[in-house]
Amino acid sequence: MKATREKLLKEVEAVLPGISQKELIEQSSCIIFKDGKIYTYNDEISCRYATHLKINGAVSAMPLINILRKMKEDEIEIEIGEGELIIKGNGRKSGIRMEKSVVLPIDSIDEPEKWRKLPDDFTEGLKYVLPCAGKDESSFVLTCVHIHPNWLEACDNMQVSRYLTNTGFDKSVLSRRDSIKYIISFDMTEFGETDSWIHFKNPAGLILSCRRYVEEFPDMEPILDVSGERIVLPKGIKEAVSRAEVFSVENV
């Protein structure tokens, strides 16, 4: 069958956030082709997107992407071989491991019954708070972004950031920073919730689902409830800090 190389590359790159570099779950390093859609799932993130490639099976993700990126042809030929996906271009042929049986639990992730509009400044607020989320796994909740009905916030025990906005969420929920960060790149405009997931969707039809957590986030009010004289930062402080931080690179 024939396929458009650039279109297929765009489709598989869209679901990359759900790929696992270390295959802790069988086929979590694969792209799943099934019934006109492609899926990825790594237990923390799930992606689904429509594809024009009408095949079924699990294909190793990175070899597929690397081959598509290196090829220059506009149109390529796709064949299913014995345990492999064969891609043909002008005078070249590549084979990638493919499993016809899909064992990755993609069907366990339900779509929400209804979608709601994501506030216009949700992504902007997320950009501000993400750098303050922690990386220390021993303090799990601090590796998450706290989505409150009235704000987004994050803290790593050294810094805290809160962005005031009507998030559209009815109840507080947590999402890991390394999961929810991907929605910034995909222009998400809608969201929905199910028992274990927060789902985001963009106009192109990409659905990116982040596992949701309901642990209690620390109360940041005592830290953020400050009083005193408001001051204006000097205009050149950003550039000054950029120059000075060179001397602290080796001592975080």
Side-chain angles (χ1 to χ4, degrees), residues 33-46:
F33 290 83
K34 184 179 179 183
D35 301 330
K37 291 185 178 180
I38 50 177
Y39 303 82
T40 53
Y41 172 78
N42 63 11
D43 197 46
E44 287 289 339
I45 303 172
S46 172

Side-chain angles (χ1 to χ4, degrees), residues 3-241:
T4 305
R5 184 190 63 84
E6 286 191 6
K7 188 175 182 180
L8 180 58
L9 179 59
K10 180 181 178 181
E11 291 166 359
V12 297
E13 286 182 333
V15 298
L16 265 183
I19 291 294
S20 175
Q21 299 301 323
K22 296 181 180 179
E23 195 170 90
L24 301 177
I25 303 173
E26 189 175 358
Q27 294 183 344
S28 60
S29 64
C30 294
I31 292 176
I32 307 300
F33 290 83
K34 184 179 179 183
D35 301 330
K37 291 185 178 180
I38 50 177
Y39 303 82
T40 53
Y41 172 78
N42 63 11
D43 197 46
E44 287 289 339
I45 303 172
S46 172
C47 299
R48 66 181 69 185
Y49 195 41
T51 178
H52 72 297
L53 190 58
K54 307 306 180 185
I55 62 173
N56 291 314
V59 180
S60 295
M62 295 317 299
L64 173 60
I65 289 172
N66 289 335
I67 289 172
L68 292 175
R69 285 173 177 171
K70 290 177 181 178
M71 297 179 76
K72 304 299 181 183
E73 296 85 347
D74 294 329
E75 192 173 70
I76 55 177
E77 188 78 24
I78 303 291
E79 294 180 2
I80 307 299
E82 188 63 36
E84 64 178 354
L85 179 74
I86 300 170
I87 303 176
K88 294 181 179 180
N90 294 331
R92 72 179 75 184
K93 180 172 72 171
S94 300
I96 309 167
R97 182 174 65 87
M98 179 177 181
E99 300 172 12
K100 292 184 179 180
S101 177
V102 175
V103 298
L104 196 66
I106 54 175
D107 292 333
S108 66
I109 304 163
D110 297 328
E111 286 194 39
E113 293 183 358
K114 66 175 181 178
W115 291 94
R116 289 183 280 178
K117 184 180 183 299
L118 196 66
D120 293 335
D121 64 343
F122 187 95
T123 301
E124 188 68 19
L126 190 59
K127 290 179 184 178
Y128 283 113
V129 304
L130 267 178
C132 292
K135 298 180 181 180
D136 184 0
E137 294 294 334
S138 65
S139 300
F140 171 74
V141 295
L142 297 185
T143 68
C144 297
V145 171
H146 178 209
I147 306 173
H148 184 278
N150 299 317
W151 60 71
L152 296 163
E153 65 182 355
C155 176
D156 63 1
N157 262 339
M158 291 292 291
Q159 56 186 343
V160 57
S161 179
R162 175 181 288 180
Y163 184 88
L164 299 176
T165 183
N166 180 0
T167 63
F169 284 71
D170 298 326
K171 296 181 180 179
S172 288
V173 65
L174 303 181
S175 178
R176 301 194 68 160
R177 65 168 278 171
D178 288 335
S179 299
I180 199 169
K181 69 180 182 181
Y182 289 106
I183 77 166
I184 294 173
S185 305
F186 290 105
D187 299 320
M188 297 300 180
T189 56
E190 297 178 79
F191 78 98
E193 297 179 82
T194 52
D195 290 342
S196 301
W197 300 88
I198 310 170
H199 310 268
F200 299 94
K201 183 165 66 172
N202 70 9
L206 170 66
I207 296 176
L208 191 152
S209 305
C210 304
R211 191 172 287 280
R212 58 176 286 177
Y213 298 92
V214 294
E215 282 84 348
E216 187 173 349
F217 196 78
D219 183 8
M220 295 294 143
E221 284 298 331
I223 301 173
L224 296 172
D225 185 18
V226 296
S227 60
E229 183 179 353
R230 186 183 297 270
I231 64 171
V232 178
L233 295 174
K235 289 183 179 180
I237 194 169
K238 180 179 178 181
E239 290 74 17
V241 169

